[in-house]
Amino acid sequence: MHTPDDKLGDHRATVPERRGSIARVQQDGSATVPRRPRVVTITVNFNSRPWLAECFATVTASRTRHADLEFVLVDNACTDGSAELVTQRHPSVTVLTTTRNEGFAGANNLGLRYALARGADFVFLLNPDTRTPPDLLDRLVEFLDAWPEYGIVGPMQYRYTSDGAGNGKLNDWSLTALRAGESNIFDLDTPGLPSPAGPVSGRAPGTLEHAYVQGAALMCRAEALRGVGLFDETYHSYYEECDLCRRTRWGGWRVALCTNLGIQHFGGRGNSQYRRRMMLRNKYYFLVTDPEYRARDITRLTFRWLARDLMRQGAAPAERLDGDRRHTHRRAVAAAAGPADSRQTAHTPAAAAPRRRRAARHRSRRRGTAGVKIAIVNPPHRLPSDASRWITVPPQGYGTVQWVCAHLIRGLRALGHQVTLLGAPGSRTDPGVTVVDATSANDFDEWAATTDVDIVHDHTNGLINPRVVRRRAQFISTHHLTGPPRHPQSCVYVSSAQRADAEGPVVPVPVDPPLLRFAATKDDYLLFLGRISPHKGVYEAAAFAKAARCQLVVAGPSWEPDYLRRIQTSDDGSTLHLEGEVGGARRVDLLSRARAILVLSQQVPGPWGHLWSEPGATVVSEAAASGTPTIATRNGCLPELTVGVGRHVPYGAEFDPAQAARLLAELPRPEQVRKIATERWHFLTISRRYEELYQHVLAGRRWGNAAHSSASSQAAT
């Protein structure tokens, strides 16, 4: 049995000797000599001279503790002197040349064959229009060395900035990848197709198993390439990396984006005829070469694509008209329509009013789906145990609402919105988020009087005055407490039990699975994580653990010494382990390794005077995302949250040992629990639900209107 004080018990512990070294087998097979892995970076260039200086200046400056690097430029029949520039500035770079444009697939294959012949362990494909952080290659190698089941990985991509400093904003491809998540590559065309992602068990933390890693920044294990082959040169350009990632998965490897690593990538902004033609051709080729698609799926997708592509071909002549030619074309069409049609579009008040209404609806739709300026307001609370410390976003320890704000900010940023965070000083979130210190109602009112945001989303449980906000912006609040909300008209609830008989949408609290670590094998201890108070049922949790003959780890702040002494007195020294307030890696570790988390919330008076009814129970979703099931009472939201991820016990502290043992044996499997959590509470899923509500708010609707009733039901769990 592992105790909570042991080191991390995940599968990384089985391969520590691999980190930073590759075992080289001698010819007689009798001994091994550790060596540093060899990484070859390959940059295919076709007349991209303006980008190359910065590209190679940054990648050749990479700092590596775990690998030896070699840099290769593939000159793909360039005519702009690119190869000469690189050779002059970076003599150590190997230049390979082609006699004709081989496309992305063929040119990279030339570099890949060279790398494999040179004994490379890892190959990193890098576009010319990129800027590489100095530690990126080292961290990718470290990741692949520690997680040997991954064949292809890549970093997230950020917008390329002229000054090189970066602005912390994801580029369009990464935003699309986060929106799509782990869905099928054609999920938007035909929802319900199988996900390419591997099983939840065995995943590395901080990864997203997206359908593919873009070839602009892709690291591949040489062993995987030797098994599944190189790029299919039939593609020439576009979809070739999708096919390589697909075949790598077929070969038994995992493919993922490392969400905590990044690179700047300018990205193709053009819409050339060549690109359109290759994208059109290659998606059909990609579809028909996949045996996992059923004939029905292929037929449905093909007909849908053909209809859409034919419509685009028909519209192509008009689309090619640009600038003044487009306006000239429209004027010519209007003139040919004759006086009657001209009268229908005259700028009269009667004709202008419908146009204004249509334009207003169009603006509200556009603002509701992308580019909205949103202010997230965090409650400015200090730690009761240390009044000099604020509870920040994200929190360093205790702070349920603060974690909700942190996850929501990340999701809204990923969906392309601009976010401002107001609240406790010291908060630090994603780069690009404006942070405003505000510690009182007056601070919020002063800020609201001059703000230019579209929506203020309040999480302070009533500190914000919506009448002040609505002079300049729309207002919405999320209720995180028990009892009725202070501003019910604009309120979102985190559970159906919390909403009770009120009208309004229900959106549960979000969770970020990559920040949590999944463990399929659990240690023999139970966990309580949260505030040590009577309404949270810590005394009852200790009684259950004693009946089940399991150790109970209690991790959380204690602000009521008499209650804590009562818990300690009830223990004979064999059950209780007081951990104190935890955060960071220790919190993640405890969540992932526990056999179950205990949420034995009791119907007693809570901290705000009301009879306690569990409002949102963030810890249930966090534990589930770690593969840890929940044992809970039926208080408040717990019955609706624990469906599929836990079991229930009665109120009180009387537990039969046989029943406790049987309940532990009936807990759902960690893989099932993690899958449900990812589908139900993923921060992007929750952010999209709020995005829908923002759209209705921007359209001037209020809760309870007929126009809003459908949105409320869709947003409810």
Side-chain angles (χ1 to χ4, degrees), residues 487-527:
H487 306 295
Q489 187 181 33
S490 57
C491 186
V492 179
Y493 300 86
V494 294
S495 67
S496 297
Q498 183 204 38
R499 180 180 61 179
D501 297 327
E503 290 191 34
V506 173
V507 182
V509 296
V511 67
D512 189 352
L515 291 182
L516 301 162
R517 181 165 55 83
F518 171 78
T521 303
K522 303 296 184 180
D523 292 346
D524 195 19
Y525 70 89
L526 304 174
L527 175 65

mmCIF file of all heavy atoms in Angstrom, residues 487-527:
data_model
loop_
_atom_site.group_PDB
_atom_site.id
_atom_site.type_symbol
_atom_site.label_atom_id
_atom_site.label_comp_id
_atom_site.label_asym_id
_atom_site.label_seq_id
_atom_site.Cartn_x
_atom_site.Cartn_y
_atom_site.Cartn_z
ATOM 1 N N HIS A 487 -29.425 39.050 -7.207
ATOM 2 C CA HIS A 487 -29.951 39.594 -8.469
ATOM 3 C C HIS A 487 -30.484 38.435 -9.313
ATOM 4 O O HIS A 487 -29.828 37.966 -10.233
ATOM 5 C CB HIS A 487 -28.862 40.343 -9.228
ATOM 6 C CG HIS A 487 -28.176 41.407 -8.433
ATOM 7 N ND1 HIS A 487 -28.829 42.526 -7.969
ATOM 8 C CD2 HIS A 487 -26.893 41.513 -8.001
ATOM 9 C CE1 HIS A 487 -27.984 43.291 -7.298
ATOM 10 N NE2 HIS A 487 -26.799 42.691 -7.294
ATOM 11 N N PRO A 488 -31.692 37.950 -9.026
ATOM 12 C CA PRO A 488 -32.190 36.741 -9.697
ATOM 13 C C PRO A 488 -32.488 36.927 -11.174
ATOM 14 O O PRO A 488 -32.448 35.958 -11.934
ATOM 15 C CB PRO A 488 -33.475 36.412 -8.914
ATOM 16 C CG PRO A 488 -33.887 37.716 -8.299
ATOM 17 C CD PRO A 488 -32.624 38.447 -8.008
ATOM 18 N N GLN A 489 -32.791 38.172 -11.603
ATOM 19 C CA GLN A 489 -33.188 38.350 -12.992
ATOM 20 C C GLN A 489 -32.068 38.000 -13.964
ATOM 21 O O GLN A 489 -32.310 37.500 -15.046
ATOM 22 C CB GLN A 489 -33.636 39.795 -13.245
ATOM 23 C CG GLN A 489 -34.224 39.985 -14.642
ATOM 24 C CD GLN A 489 -34.634 41.419 -14.897
ATOM 25 O OE1 GLN A 489 -34.013 42.337 -14.394
ATOM 26 N NE2 GLN A 489 -35.680 41.619 -15.675
ATOM 27 N N SER A 490 -30.851 38.236 -13.595
ATOM 28 C CA SER A 490 -29.722 38.007 -14.500
ATOM 29 C C SER A 490 -28.857 36.840 -14.060
ATOM 30 O O SER A 490 -27.685 36.776 -14.400
ATOM 31 C CB SER A 490 -28.868 39.276 -14.564
ATOM 32 O OG SER A 490 -28.438 39.642 -13.255
ATOM 33 N N CYS A 491 -29.436 35.908 -13.300
ATOM 34 C CA CYS A 491 -28.632 34.908 -12.610
ATOM 35 C C CYS A 491 -28.531 33.592 -13.374
ATOM 36 O O CYS A 491 -29.509 33.111 -13.963
ATOM 37 C CB CYS A 491 -29.225 34.648 -11.222
ATOM 38 S SG CYS A 491 -28.222 33.558 -10.222
ATOM 39 N N VAL A 492 -27.332 33.004 -13.342
ATOM 40 C CA VAL A 492 -27.075 31.646 -13.812
ATOM 41 C C VAL A 492 -26.782 30.796 -12.585
ATOM 42 O O VAL A 492 -26.055 31.218 -11.688
ATOM 43 C CB VAL A 492 -25.875 31.606 -14.780
ATOM 44 C CG1 VAL A 492 -25.607 30.177 -15.243
ATOM 45 C CG2 VAL A 492 -26.127 32.511 -15.972
ATOM 46 N N TYR A 493 -27.344 29.596 -12.539
ATOM 47 C CA TYR A 493 -27.165 28.711 -11.396
ATOM 48 C C TYR A 493 -26.209 27.582 -11.759
ATOM 49 O O TYR A 493 -26.118 27.166 -12.916
ATOM 50 C CB TYR A 493 -28.518 28.147 -10.950
ATOM 51 C CG TYR A 493 -29.504 29.224 -10.546
ATOM 52 C CD1 TYR A 493 -30.310 29.844 -11.506
ATOM 53 C CD2 TYR A 493 -29.606 29.638 -9.226
ATOM 54 C CE1 TYR A 493 -31.199 30.846 -11.148
ATOM 55 C CE2 TYR A 493 -30.498 30.637 -8.855
ATOM 56 C CZ TYR A 493 -31.291 31.242 -9.825
ATOM 57 O OH TYR A 493 -32.166 32.245 -9.468
ATOM 58 N N VAL A 494 -25.500 27.058 -10.752
ATOM 59 C CA VAL A 494 -24.513 26.020 -11.022
ATOM 60 C C VAL A 494 -25.081 24.622 -10.842
ATOM 61 O O VAL A 494 -24.391 23.633 -11.116
ATOM 62 C CB VAL A 494 -23.262 26.197 -10.132
ATOM 63 C CG1 VAL A 494 -22.527 27.467 -10.501
ATOM 64 C CG2 VAL A 494 -23.624 26.186 -8.654
ATOM 65 N N SER A 495 -26.328 24.506 -10.402
ATOM 66 C CA SER A 495 -26.983 23.199 -10.316
ATOM 67 C C SER A 495 -28.487 23.406 -10.288
ATOM 68 O O SER A 495 -28.977 24.482 -9.926
ATOM 69 C CB SER A 495 -26.538 22.435 -9.059
ATOM 70 O OG SER A 495 -27.005 23.076 -7.888
ATOM 71 N N SER A 496 -29.219 22.365 -10.663
ATOM 72 C CA SER A 496 -30.676 22.441 -10.628
ATOM 73 C C SER A 496 -31.181 22.524 -9.201
ATOM 74 O O SER A 496 -32.170 23.205 -8.922
ATOM 75 C CB SER A 496 -31.274 21.211 -11.322
ATOM 76 O OG SER A 496 -30.907 21.188 -12.688
ATOM 77 N N ALA A 497 -30.513 21.842 -8.279
ATOM 78 C CA ALA A 497 -30.920 21.909 -6.872
ATOM 79 C C ALA A 497 -30.755 23.319 -6.324
ATOM 80 O O ALA A 497 -31.593 23.801 -5.562
ATOM 81 C CB ALA A 497 -30.092 20.923 -6.056
ATOM 82 N N GLN A 498 -29.703 23.995 -6.713
ATOM 83 C CA GLN A 498 -29.472 25.365 -6.251
ATOM 84 C C GLN A 498 -30.531 26.308 -6.814
ATOM 85 O O GLN A 498 -30.998 27.223 -6.143
ATOM 86 C CB GLN A 498 -28.073 25.814 -6.673
ATOM 87 C CG GLN A 498 -27.694 27.207 -6.192
ATOM 88 C CD GLN A 498 -26.617 27.827 -7.060
ATOM 89 O OE1 GLN A 498 -26.625 27.653 -8.285
ATOM 90 N NE2 GLN A 498 -25.698 28.546 -6.441
ATOM 91 N N ARG A 499 -30.923 26.075 -8.066
ATOM 92 C CA ARG A 499 -31.926 26.948 -8.693
ATOM 93 C C ARG A 499 -33.291 26.785 -8.044
ATOM 94 O O ARG A 499 -34.064 27.743 -7.943
ATOM 95 C CB ARG A 499 -32.020 26.625 -10.189
ATOM 96 C CG ARG A 499 -33.044 27.474 -10.926
ATOM 97 C CD ARG A 499 -33.091 27.115 -12.400
ATOM 98 N NE ARG A 499 -33.470 25.732 -12.623
ATOM 99 C CZ ARG A 499 -33.604 25.182 -13.824
ATOM 100 N NH1 ARG A 499 -33.363 25.903 -14.898
ATOM 101 N NH2 ARG A 499 -33.943 23.919 -13.950
ATOM 102 N N ALA A 500 -33.623 25.537 -7.623
ATOM 103 C CA ALA A 500 -34.910 25.238 -6.997
ATOM 104 C C ALA A 500 -36.057 25.665 -7.911
ATOM 105 O O ALA A 500 -36.125 25.233 -9.057
ATOM 106 C CB ALA A 500 -34.992 25.884 -5.621
ATOM 107 N N ASP A 501 -36.937 26.554 -7.430
ATOM 108 C CA ASP A 501 -38.105 26.952 -8.210
ATOM 109 C C ASP A 501 -37.882 28.226 -9.014
ATOM 110 O O ASP A 501 -38.801 28.719 -9.677
ATOM 111 C CB ASP A 501 -39.311 27.158 -7.277
ATOM 112 C CG ASP A 501 -39.701 25.873 -6.566
ATOM 113 O OD1 ASP A 501 -39.537 24.798 -7.171
ATOM 114 O OD2 ASP A 501 -40.160 25.957 -5.416
ATOM 115 N N ALA A 502 -36.700 28.783 -8.964
ATOM 116 C CA ALA A 502 -36.435 30.017 -9.706
ATOM 117 C C ALA A 502 -36.313 29.737 -11.198
ATOM 118 O O ALA A 502 -36.128 28.593 -11.628
ATOM 119 C CB ALA A 502 -35.150 30.671 -9.187
ATOM 120 N N GLU A 503 -36.440 30.801 -12.000
ATOM 121 C CA GLU A 503 -36.249 30.683 -13.444
ATOM 122 C C GLU A 503 -34.853 31.153 -13.796
ATOM 123 O O GLU A 503 -34.388 32.178 -13.301
ATOM 124 C CB GLU A 503 -37.294 31.523 -14.194
ATOM 125 C CG GLU A 503 -38.694 30.961 -14.104
ATOM 126 C CD GLU A 503 -39.634 31.677 -15.072
ATOM 127 O OE1 GLU A 503 -39.182 32.066 -16.154
ATOM 128 O OE2 GLU A 503 -40.797 31.848 -14.708
ATOM 129 N N GLY A 504 -34.203 30.418 -14.669
ATOM 130 C CA GLY A 504 -32.861 30.776 -15.087
ATOM 131 C C GLY A 504 -32.095 29.561 -15.552
ATOM 132 O O GLY A 504 -32.430 28.428 -15.198
ATOM 133 N N PRO A 505 -31.054 29.771 -16.329
ATOM 134 C CA PRO A 505 -30.276 28.642 -16.859
ATOM 135 C C PRO A 505 -29.389 28.024 -15.789
ATOM 136 O O PRO A 505 -28.998 28.665 -14.818
ATOM 137 C CB PRO A 505 -29.434 29.288 -17.964
ATOM 138 C CG PRO A 505 -29.311 30.714 -17.563
ATOM 139 C CD PRO A 505 -30.581 31.064 -16.846
ATOM 140 N N VAL A 506 -29.077 26.750 -15.991
ATOM 141 C CA VAL A 506 -28.159 26.018 -15.128
ATOM 142 C C VAL A 506 -26.924 25.655 -15.936
ATOM 143 O O VAL A 506 -27.014 24.980 -16.959
ATOM 144 C CB VAL A 506 -28.812 24.741 -14.565
ATOM 145 C CG1 VAL A 506 -27.784 23.896 -13.813
ATOM 146 C CG2 VAL A 506 -29.966 25.100 -13.647
ATOM 147 N N VAL A 507 -25.765 26.114 -15.478
ATOM 148 C CA VAL A 507 -24.487 25.781 -16.107
ATOM 149 C C VAL A 507 -23.550 25.307 -14.998
ATOM 150 O O VAL A 507 -23.204 26.084 -14.116
ATOM 151 C CB VAL A 507 -23.862 26.991 -16.837
ATOM 152 C CG1 VAL A 507 -22.558 26.582 -17.503
ATOM 153 C CG2 VAL A 507 -24.831 27.550 -17.876
ATOM 154 N N PRO A 508 -23.142 24.043 -15.015
ATOM 155 C CA PRO A 508 -22.305 23.534 -13.921
ATOM 156 C C PRO A 508 -20.913 24.148 -13.938
ATOM 157 O O PRO A 508 -20.504 24.809 -14.898
ATOM 158 C CB PRO A 508 -22.247 22.027 -14.198
ATOM 159 C CG PRO A 508 -22.529 21.892 -15.653
ATOM 160 C CD PRO A 508 -23.458 23.014 -16.011
ATOM 161 N N VAL A 509 -20.186 23.921 -12.868
ATOM 162 C CA VAL A 509 -18.838 24.473 -12.764
ATOM 163 C C VAL A 509 -17.909 23.715 -13.714
ATOM 164 O O VAL A 509 -18.056 22.513 -13.912
ATOM 165 C CB VAL A 509 -18.316 24.401 -11.319
ATOM 166 C CG1 VAL A 509 -19.144 25.266 -10.408
ATOM 167 C CG2 VAL A 509 -18.302 22.965 -10.816
ATOM 168 N N PRO A 510 -16.929 24.401 -14.305
ATOM 169 C CA PRO A 510 -16.039 23.748 -15.277
ATOM 170 C C PRO A 510 -14.857 23.075 -14.591
ATOM 171 O O PRO A 510 -14.519 23.349 -13.443
ATOM 172 C CB PRO A 510 -15.561 24.922 -16.139
ATOM 173 C CG PRO A 510 -15.579 26.095 -15.206
ATOM 174 C CD PRO A 510 -16.713 25.856 -14.244
ATOM 175 N N VAL A 511 -14.212 22.195 -15.344
ATOM 176 C CA VAL A 511 -12.991 21.545 -14.896
ATOM 177 C C VAL A 511 -12.038 21.488 -16.083
ATOM 178 O O VAL A 511 -12.472 21.444 -17.236
ATOM 179 C CB VAL A 511 -13.290 20.126 -14.349
ATOM 180 C CG1 VAL A 511 -13.764 19.204 -15.455
ATOM 181 C CG2 VAL A 511 -12.076 19.545 -13.648
ATOM 182 N N ASP A 512 -10.738 21.512 -15.796
ATOM 183 C CA ASP A 512 -9.712 21.480 -16.844
ATOM 184 C C ASP A 512 -8.948 20.164 -16.725
ATOM 185 O O ASP A 512 -7.975 20.068 -15.964
ATOM 186 C CB ASP A 512 -8.764 22.668 -16.683
ATOM 187 C CG ASP A 512 -7.804 22.803 -17.862
ATOM 188 O OD1 ASP A 512 -7.785 21.888 -18.703
ATOM 189 O OD2 ASP A 512 -7.089 23.814 -17.941
ATOM 190 N N PRO A 513 -9.353 19.107 -17.456
ATOM 191 C CA PRO A 513 -8.700 17.799 -17.307
ATOM 192 C C PRO A 513 -7.188 17.811 -17.499
ATOM 193 O O PRO A 513 -6.477 17.110 -16.770
ATOM 194 C CB PRO A 513 -9.403 16.935 -18.367
ATOM 195 C CG PRO A 513 -10.745 17.567 -18.526
ATOM 196 C CD PRO A 513 -10.505 19.040 -18.376
ATOM 197 N N PRO A 514 -6.623 18.589 -18.460
ATOM 198 C CA PRO A 514 -5.163 18.575 -18.593
ATOM 199 C C PRO A 514 -4.410 19.058 -17.355
ATOM 200 O O PRO A 514 -3.238 18.723 -17.182
ATOM 201 C CB PRO A 514 -4.914 19.511 -19.786
ATOM 202 C CG PRO A 514 -6.152 19.445 -20.589
ATOM 203 C CD PRO A 514 -7.244 19.330 -19.576
ATOM 204 N N LEU A 515 -5.057 19.849 -16.485
ATOM 205 C CA LEU A 515 -4.393 20.300 -15.269
ATOM 206 C C LEU A 515 -4.398 19.238 -14.175
ATOM 207 O O LEU A 515 -3.727 19.393 -13.155
ATOM 208 C CB LEU A 515 -5.058 21.571 -14.736
ATOM 209 C CG LEU A 515 -4.882 22.843 -15.566
ATOM 210 C CD1 LEU A 515 -5.571 24.009 -14.874
ATOM 211 C CD2 LEU A 515 -3.408 23.161 -15.790
ATOM 212 N N LEU A 516 -5.172 18.177 -14.392
ATOM 213 C CA LEU A 516 -5.288 17.117 -13.403
ATOM 214 C C LEU A 516 -4.667 15.842 -13.964
ATOM 215 O O LEU A 516 -4.611 15.647 -15.171
ATOM 216 C CB LEU A 516 -6.754 16.889 -13.039
ATOM 217 C CG LEU A 516 -7.452 18.123 -12.461
ATOM 218 C CD1 LEU A 516 -8.955 17.972 -12.528
ATOM 219 C CD2 LEU A 516 -7.015 18.347 -11.020
ATOM 220 N N ARG A 517 -4.220 14.987 -13.094
ATOM 221 C CA ARG A 517 -3.525 13.778 -13.530
ATOM 222 C C ARG A 517 -4.415 12.566 -13.312
ATOM 223 O O ARG A 517 -4.904 12.328 -12.216
ATOM 224 C CB ARG A 517 -2.210 13.609 -12.757
ATOM 225 C CG ARG A 517 -1.410 12.390 -13.177
ATOM 226 C CD ARG A 517 0.006 12.489 -12.644
ATOM 227 N NE ARG A 517 0.046 12.691 -11.212
ATOM 228 C CZ ARG A 517 -0.053 11.711 -10.309
ATOM 229 N NH1 ARG A 517 -0.213 10.478 -10.700
ATOM 230 N NH2 ARG A 517 0.018 11.982 -9.022
ATOM 231 N N PHE A 518 -4.602 11.785 -14.374
ATOM 232 C CA PHE A 518 -5.413 10.574 -14.271
ATOM 233 C C PHE A 518 -4.547 9.412 -13.790
ATOM 234 O O PHE A 518 -3.417 9.229 -14.243
ATOM 235 C CB PHE A 518 -6.022 10.227 -15.627
ATOM 236 C CG PHE A 518 -6.701 8.882 -15.650
ATOM 237 C CD1 PHE A 518 -7.962 8.727 -15.103
ATOM 238 C CD2 PHE A 518 -6.067 7.773 -16.192
ATOM 239 C CE1 PHE A 518 -8.590 7.493 -15.112
ATOM 240 C CE2 PHE A 518 -6.681 6.540 -16.204
ATOM 241 C CZ PHE A 518 -7.949 6.397 -15.663
ATOM 242 N N ALA A 519 -5.094 8.627 -12.878
ATOM 243 C CA ALA A 519 -4.423 7.419 -12.408
ATOM 244 C C ALA A 519 -5.437 6.288 -12.388
ATOM 245 O O ALA A 519 -6.460 6.373 -11.699
ATOM 246 C CB ALA A 519 -3.823 7.631 -11.021
ATOM 247 N N ALA A 520 -5.176 5.247 -13.162
ATOM 248 C CA ALA A 520 -6.097 4.105 -13.213
ATOM 249 C C ALA A 520 -5.958 3.228 -11.975
ATOM 250 O O ALA A 520 -6.919 2.592 -11.546
ATOM 251 C CB ALA A 520 -5.835 3.288 -14.476
ATOM 252 N N THR A 521 -4.766 3.180 -11.403
ATOM 253 C CA THR A 521 -4.522 2.393 -10.193
ATOM 254 C C THR A 521 -4.542 3.326 -8.985
ATOM 255 O O THR A 521 -3.807 4.313 -8.943
ATOM 256 C CB THR A 521 -3.172 1.672 -10.276
ATOM 257 O OG1 THR A 521 -3.152 0.852 -11.448
ATOM 258 C CG2 THR A 521 -2.935 0.815 -9.042
ATOM 259 N N LYS A 522 -5.367 2.986 -8.025
ATOM 260 C CA LYS A 522 -5.562 3.864 -6.867
ATOM 261 C C LYS A 522 -4.880 3.302 -5.618
ATOM 262 O O LYS A 522 -4.708 2.086 -5.480
ATOM 263 C CB LYS A 522 -7.060 4.045 -6.586
ATOM 264 C CG LYS A 522 -7.852 4.603 -7.764
ATOM 265 C CD LYS A 522 -7.407 6.004 -8.128
ATOM 266 C CE LYS A 522 -8.267 6.593 -9.234
ATOM 267 N NZ LYS A 522 -7.854 7.958 -9.597
ATOM 268 N N ASP A 523 -4.504 4.206 -4.719
ATOM 269 C CA ASP A 523 -3.983 3.812 -3.416
ATOM 270 C C ASP A 523 -5.142 3.590 -2.444
ATOM 271 O O ASP A 523 -6.276 4.014 -2.693
ATOM 272 C CB ASP A 523 -3.040 4.878 -2.870
ATOM 273 C CG ASP A 523 -1.759 4.977 -3.678
ATOM 274 O OD1 ASP A 523 -1.503 4.060 -4.480
ATOM 275 O OD2 ASP A 523 -1.034 5.967 -3.526
ATOM 276 N N ASP A 524 -4.843 2.937 -1.334
ATOM 277 C CA ASP A 524 -5.900 2.532 -0.412
ATOM 278 C C ASP A 524 -6.140 3.602 0.651
ATOM 279 O O ASP A 524 -5.967 3.373 1.848
ATOM 280 C CB ASP A 524 -5.531 1.197 0.250
ATOM 281 C CG ASP A 524 -6.734 0.551 0.933
ATOM 282 O OD1 ASP A 524 -7.869 0.936 0.584
ATOM 283 O OD2 ASP A 524 -6.527 -0.307 1.794
ATOM 284 N N TYR A 525 -6.531 4.803 0.199
ATOM 285 C CA TYR A 525 -6.937 5.839 1.144
ATOM 286 C C TYR A 525 -8.115 6.611 0.568
ATOM 287 O O TYR A 525 -8.303 6.675 -0.652
ATOM 288 C CB TYR A 525 -5.778 6.787 1.488
ATOM 289 C CG TYR A 525 -5.340 7.719 0.377
ATOM 290 C CD1 TYR A 525 -5.936 8.970 0.213
ATOM 291 C CD2 TYR A 525 -4.326 7.363 -0.501
ATOM 292 C CE1 TYR A 525 -5.536 9.831 -0.792
ATOM 293 C CE2 TYR A 525 -3.915 8.210 -1.510
ATOM 294 C CZ TYR A 525 -4.516 9.443 -1.655
ATOM 295 O OH TYR A 525 -4.123 10.292 -2.664
ATOM 296 N N LEU A 526 -8.914 7.183 1.436
ATOM 297 C CA LEU A 526 -10.027 8.045 1.059
ATOM 298 C C LEU A 526 -9.610 9.489 1.304
ATOM 299 O O LEU A 526 -8.731 9.764 2.122
ATOM 300 C CB LEU A 526 -11.271 7.699 1.868
ATOM 301 C CG LEU A 526 -11.733 6.239 1.777
ATOM 302 C CD1 LEU A 526 -12.898 5.983 2.732
ATOM 303 C CD2 LEU A 526 -12.117 5.873 0.352
ATOM 304 N N LEU A 527 -10.253 10.412 0.593
ATOM 305 C CA LEU A 527 -9.824 11.810 0.631
ATOM 306 C C LEU A 527 -11.002 12.727 0.933
ATOM 307 O O LEU A 527 -12.079 12.587 0.344
ATOM 308 C CB LEU A 527 -9.201 12.202 -0.717
ATOM 309 C CG LEU A 527 -8.789 13.671 -0.902
ATOM 310 C CD1 LEU A 527 -7.653 14.045 0.043
ATOM 311 C CD2 LEU A 527 -8.381 13.931 -2.357
#
